[in-house]
Amino acid sequence: MPAPRSTNRKEDILQALAAMLQSNNGQRITTAALAEKVGVSEAALYRHFPSKARMFEGLIEFIENTLLSRINVILDEHKATASRTELILQLLLVFAERNPGICRILTGDALQGEQERLQERVAQLFEKLETQLKQCLRERKLREGKGFNIDEGELANMLLATVEGKLSQFVRSGFTRLPTQYWAHQWAALQQALFV
């Protein structure tokens, strides 16, 4: 008996696009290839998304909604700044590791040759993530009565740049160098240096 067809064709298209981003190492994905992977005509793709750019925007929206909602849960459930910071950074690394195709969007690798507004959307997402980290770090003074030896904005930027570097290594290695590799030891060193 064949597997039941999904009733959410938009979701099927986005999942297929993410899978193709993982396996099409640096090659542009055509709507014809995507339609074939999904098992529909190109015209059917365009009934759900008016353009390929809109498909990428759908994935970016999924990334943003997933990450920001989980960050809000972390902030609600944890009060210590070091724990919050660690969990936010770990969330980014684990999310990328579990979604290699989507990681290629986060690094901009999959968006080369696509519309510039897609790069801008990813840049806005990283600005939101950096703002979340900065706010989390700034609250340390109120919650714990301690500050940092560096401006919280500069620190948030450094921490996010560390994560972005690990994501770039993951993509560059063909998804063999996992973002979480060495992270426990790296975070321990960062925590010891920063949260004194």
Side-chain angles (χ1 to χ4, degrees):
M1 186 167 152
R5 280 182 58 174
S6 170
T7 56
N8 191 341
R9 187 60 75 188
K10 273 183 127 170
E11 190 175 299
D12 291 345
I13 293 167
L14 294 179
Q15 287 176 353
L17 178 57
M20 290 178 77
L21 287 171
Q22 179 178 347
S23 60
N24 289 21
N25 195 13
Q27 298 172 355
R28 286 193 76 190
I29 294 171
T30 64
T31 53
L34 180 59
E36 183 179 326
K37 173 105 173 153
V38 178
V40 299
S41 67
E42 280 187 80
L45 284 182
Y46 289 116
R47 279 195 294 276
H48 296 286
F49 294 97
S51 66
K52 189 167 75 166
R54 210 31 220 124
M55 294 174 206
F56 276 110
E57 285 178 347
L59 281 177
I60 294 167
E61 287 168 10
F62 165 76
I63 296 166
E64 185 171 330
N65 292 337
T66 301
L67 292 177
L68 294 178
S69 66
R70 290 183 183 168
I71 287 171
N72 286 334
V73 170
I74 290 168
L75 296 176
D76 286 343
E77 293 180 355
H78 301 273
K79 300 307 173 198
T81 304
S83 295
R84 288 173 148 196
T85 306
E86 176 185 13
L87 290 169
I88 291 170
L89 298 176
Q90 186 174 318
L91 166 67
L92 301 176
L93 296 172
V94 170
F95 178 80
E97 188 171 304
R98 290 183 181 164
N99 300 284
I102 287 176
C103 186
R104 290 191 61 228
I105 291 175
L106 290 171
T107 62
D109 182 62
L111 302 177
Q112 297 301 318
E114 299 295 339
Q115 293 188 13
E116 190 175 321
R117 78 172 191 266
L118 297 172
Q119 295 270 8
E120 291 168 2
R121 284 289 309 271
V122 172
Q124 289 170 356
L125 170 60
F126 275 97
E127 287 173 19
K128 289 177 183 178
L129 294 172
E130 188 170 328
T131 299
Q132 286 277 8
L133 276 171
K134 182 172 31 176
Q135 184 61 35
C136 177
L137 296 168
R138 284 193 173 147
E139 288 177 8
R140 185 177 191 217
K141 286 179 187 170
L142 298 172
R143 292 181 182 277
E144 300 163 32
K146 298 178 184 176
F148 293 97
N149 295 330
I150 181 174
D151 175 78
E152 291 90 351
E154 293 173 17
L155 179 54
N157 178 265
M158 181 191 78
L159 292 171
L160 193 57
T162 301
V163 167
E164 287 186 71
K166 292 183 77 61
L167 300 187
S168 291
Q169 287 177 339
F170 185 45
V171 171
R172 196 171 49 247
S173 72
F175 308 119
T176 59
R177 190 168 195 179
L178 301 179
T180 56
Q181 184 180 17
Y182 311 126
W183 180 246
H185 295 289
Q186 291 167 336
W187 173 251
L190 285 168
Q191 185 175 8
Q192 186 175 8
L194 300 172
F195 292 89
V196 291

